[in-house]
Amino acid sequence: MSAVLTTITVADTLANLLTQALAAASQYAALQKAAADRGTPLTLDDLKGLRVADGVVRDDLEAAIAAHGG
Amino acid sequence: MKRHLTLFLALASFTLASFFVGCAQLGAPPPVTFIDKVAVAQLSVTTARKGALTALNLGTLSAKDARTVQTAADNGNEAIDVAVGMYFAACPMAPPAASAPPAAPCTSTKADAKLAMATAILAAATAYLDKAAATQLQGNKP
């Protein structure tokens, strides 16, 4: 029973890792496509845009942590 | 302890390998320039936060574990900023003269190393997130 639970847990973990890695890869592909469309490599402005988007998610996570008593 | 480290490194490697496989599947070129690598690191930061947010809202992650991921993500951003600073100290951006031959891309080993550290921090946060969520899930099983 324990071995089955361990297997399920490992499978869950790998599936979650895979999902997150693919989501990041998808965003990276979109970023590269936008850069290719405008005929330049990625720029500092692209990085600034990513940082702004990260700030939004950071605020959301902070609010959720507070809502869950953290 | 050694066993946990091995597992952790395996999970981190799996995440990075999945990212590159995903890039290949989506037709995106692998990160080549320093800016490309910074973009990947920054996306990893946001991905870790999103994962924590989703798991927290689903009840598969505790607020304490979410806080750990949030802190690791903040540390990742700081490491990225330091790496970018090191890169531009070594490779100041100067507009090339129109008649100048194309220059070889500037590289900074120190900045690359710092960025690799940032990426490792984020891989660690992601692995921690999934381990914590899996533990919480297992704890919720009847």
Side-chain angles (χ1 to χ4, degrees):
Chain A
M1 186 63 183
S2 172
V4 172
L5 281 179
T6 302
T7 304
I8 291 171
T9 303
V10 169
D12 276 347
T13 301
L14 292 182
N16 287 339
L17 284 174
L18 185 63
T19 303
Q20 287 170 34
L22 291 182
S26 173
Q27 288 176 3
Y28 178 73
L31 204 62
Q32 285 286 6
K33 184 179 182 308
D37 286 349
R38 66 172 185 254
T40 68
L42 293 186
T43 65
L44 284 177
D45 281 344
D46 292 317
L47 298 183
K48 284 176 190 164
L50 290 178
R51 180 59 65 92
V52 170
D54 179 63
V56 172
V57 179
R58 187 190 188 286
D59 290 346
D60 288 347
L61 179 56
E62 199 61 42
I65 290 171
H68 285 80
Chain B
M1 183 66 186
K2 189 178 175 185
R3 192 176 160 197
H4 284 154
L5 181 65
T6 306
L7 177 64
F8 168 77
L9 289 175
L11 289 174
S13 303
F14 177 81
T15 306
L16 282 177
S18 301
F19 175 84
F20 288 117
V21 169
C23 284
Q25 291 290 321
L26 293 165
V32 176
T33 67
F34 183 77
I35 299 288
D36 290 349
K37 292 172 190 171
V38 172
V40 171
Q42 187 64 67
L43 282 169
S44 303
V45 170
T46 309
T47 300
R49 292 197 212 273
K50 280 183 181 171
L53 180 61
T54 303
L56 183 61
N57 287 334
L58 286 174
T60 57
L61 190 73
S62 69
K64 186 182 167 202
D65 287 331
R67 169 66 60 202
T68 301
V69 174
Q70 180 85 306
T71 303
D74 288 344
N75 290 339
N77 269 350
E78 282 181 22
I80 288 171
D81 290 343
V82 171
V84 170
M86 291 167 106
Y87 178 79
F88 285 110
C91 308
M93 290 180 79
S99 58
C106 180
T107 57
S108 165
T109 309
K110 282 182 183 174
D112 277 343
K114 191 72 184 172
L115 194 59
M117 196 185 90
T119 308
I121 289 172
L122 270 304
T126 307
Y128 177 85
L129 166 66
D130 284 287
K131 188 170 178 292
T135 304
Q136 181 111 344
L137 272 178
Q138 204 166 23
N140 287 345
K141 287 183 194 302

